[in-house]
C-alpha cells in the first residue's frame, strides 16, 4: 500500500477520532506491517412452514 492509502485506511477506523488526517499524513514513520483479522458471516432466512417452502 502506498502512504496515502495507509492514511485513508486509518482514517476509516475508530482511531481516526484521536488523530487528524493531516497529523497522520505528516508523521514520518508509519508501521511497515500490520496484522488484520476479518470475520465474514452469512445468514439465510429460515423457513417457517413444515414443508420448507415458505419464508418467514
Amino acid at each position: 500500500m502506498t502512504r496515502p492509502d495507509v492514511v485513508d485506511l486509518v482514517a476509516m477506523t475508530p482511531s481516526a477520532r484521536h488523530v487528524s488526517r493531516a497529523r497522520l499524513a505528516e508523521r514520518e514513520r508509519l508501521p511497515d506491517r500490520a496484522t488484520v483479522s476479518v470475520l465474514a458471516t452469512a445468514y439465510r432466512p429460515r423457513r417457517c412452514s413444515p414443508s420448507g417452502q415458505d419464508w418467514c
Side-chain angles (χ1 to χ4, degrees), residues 8-53:
D8 288 342
L9 183 62
V10 172
M12 291 186 266
T13 68
S15 299
R17 295 183 302 161
H18 304 287
V19 64
S20 70
R21 183 183 290 258
R23 185 167 181 211
L24 184 62
E26 73 186 15
R27 291 186 67 172
E28 291 182 22
R29 184 166 183 214
L30 292 173
D32 293 331
R33 292 179 181 221
T35 301
V36 177
S37 176
V38 177
L39 173 63
T41 306
Y43 295 94
R44 67 173 182 222
R46 66 186 164 120
R47 303 219 185 235
C48 290
S49 68
S51 66
Q53 298 300 318

Side-chain angles (χ1 to χ4, degrees), residues 1 5 14 16 25 27 45:
M1 295 178 75
D5 290 339
R27 291 186 67 172

